[in-house]
Amino acid sequence: RGLGDVYKRQIPTSVLIISQDHDRDFNAAEARLLVFTPEFDPNDTAILHGRSAYVDDYGPIELSAFDVVILADWRAHNDQAATERLDGYLSGGGQLLVVDQIFRPEPNPFVRSMDLLRNVDPPRRLAERSQKDVSMMLRSLSDRARLRQVPAVSIDSYTPTEIRFRTGGNQHPFPFLFSQMYFPGWTVELDGMPTPIYMADSLINGVMLPPGQAHTLKFTFAPREFYVGAAISLTAIVVLLAGVTWTIRQDTATRKT
């Protein structure tokens, strides 16, 4: 895969979903309720999600980067801290939207996905009032997106486990998406410092870039499961070699006697 094949997008506006991960899919199911809404335009808005259901896990600077924060069955470690966090976000010009979902239990994830795609009695849907609010919000973000410019992004280097990007300066925070499927093990450094990574539009990696001068981004894939598996395999090989060595020595000693 060459550098030119890496799909990347800079999006003018952003939405953060904070919700419980009922389906253990990093809130992809909640995101699809927005992504499959007719008013959603992936060129205007990015839907970011999946990190935590607890509002107070998100810092004020992190929240302030998003145009809209959607709360769906959210939680708080500390109610007062969460309220202060949301009040601060609103006072800074952010838009908060609380939505209600209607659930139909369906334990099979493949059936859930197919029913949602076909829109035939889907396992979850937005309540009627919430659907209207979401549609209105997405139309508003599309209008806002047309008034914003996003900087160019170039690829500095690409390997299967590390990708480096460089961006131009920007006036507003903006989401940057690229085509690697979201999966635990991806980390991101923004200008040499760790920064949160999100699932974007229910499928791929996304990160929020702050306003300012040019930025550098480094995406690294180092899944914990890989290293745990490698350590187990290495231990097994060492034990096997030790066993073979011991057996050979025993056979040699037996022959000598």
Side-chain angles (χ1 to χ4, degrees):
R1 185 174 180 175
L3 297 183
D5 298 326
V6 177
Y7 170 84
K8 59 188 189 317
R9 278 196 301 153
Q10 307 86 268
I11 311 299
T13 64
S14 58
V15 174
L16 172 66
I17 295 178
I18 301 179
S19 174
Q20 284 198 85
D21 189 10
H22 292 285
D23 298 315
R24 297 185 180 181
D25 60 359
F26 313 106
N27 294 130
E30 282 82 359
R32 291 187 194 107
L33 297 178
L34 277 69
V35 170
F36 293 155
T37 297
E39 291 79 8
F40 173 70
D41 187 336
N43 295 309
D44 292 339
T45 304
I47 311 298
L48 304 179
H49 50 96
R51 193 170 121 237
S52 174
Y54 292 85
V55 168
D56 37 352
D57 280 345
Y58 300 85
I61 295 177
E62 182 179 6
L63 287 178
S64 68
F66 292 91
D67 294 284
V68 178
V69 171
I70 289 182
L71 301 180
D73 197 13
W74 58 281
R75 293 290 181 265
H77 298 295
N78 181 290
D79 289 341
Q80 181 178 350
T83 300
E84 291 175 354
R85 197 66 48 85
L86 294 175
D87 287 344
Y89 170 72
L90 290 171
S91 65
Q95 180 182 348
L96 193 64
L97 188 61
V98 180
V99 299
D100 295 317
Q101 302 178 66
I102 299 172
F103 294 91
R104 174 178 62 79
E106 172 51 66
N108 188 315
F110 298 104
V111 174
R112 284 200 304 266
S113 297
M114 290 305 300
D115 286 349
L116 186 62
L117 287 169
R118 293 181 301 174
N119 199 29
V120 178
D121 191 19
R124 75 170 70 218
R125 65 183 187 276
L126 292 173
E128 184 177 357
R129 177 69 260 176
S130 294
Q131 185 64 66
K132 291 180 180 178
D133 290 342
V134 165
S135 297
M136 186 180 303
M137 177 268 295
L138 290 172
R139 284 195 296 267
S140 175
L141 288 179
S142 287
D143 292 339
R144 190 180 308 179
R146 297 184 183 96
L147 303 177
R148 291 183 180 177
Q149 292 184 337
V150 292
V153 176
S154 60
I155 302 170
D156 276 355
S157 63
Y158 173 84
T159 71
T161 57
E162 182 182 293
I163 307 176
R164 294 175 182 261
F165 298 95
R166 187 178 301 275
T167 79
N170 52 296
Q171 183 178 359
H172 300 280
F174 73 95
F176 169 69
L177 317 184
F178 88 106
S179 59
Q180 295 291 340
M181 184 175 293
Y182 180 91
F183 193 81
W186 281 104
T187 59
V188 184
E189 289 183 6
L190 171 65
D191 299 329
M193 299 295 293
T195 194
I197 186 170
Y198 308 89
M199 181 185 277
D201 294 349
S202 80
L203 186 61
I204 60 178
N205 282 320
V207 63
M208 289 298 297
L209 298 184
Q213 301 301 315
H215 300 291
T216 59
L217 278 167
K218 183 176 78 169
F219 288 80
T220 305
F221 186 59
R224 177 178 176 271
E225 293 81 0
F226 171 81
Y227 291 106
V228 171
I232 293 173
S233 298
L234 181 60
T235 301
I237 291 171
V238 170
V239 171
L240 178 61
L241 290 175
V244 171
T245 302
W246 182 84
T247 302
I248 292 173
R249 287 180 177 176
Q250 286 293 104
D251 288 345
T252 302
T254 301
R255 289 171 184 172
K256 287 181 178 180
T257 57

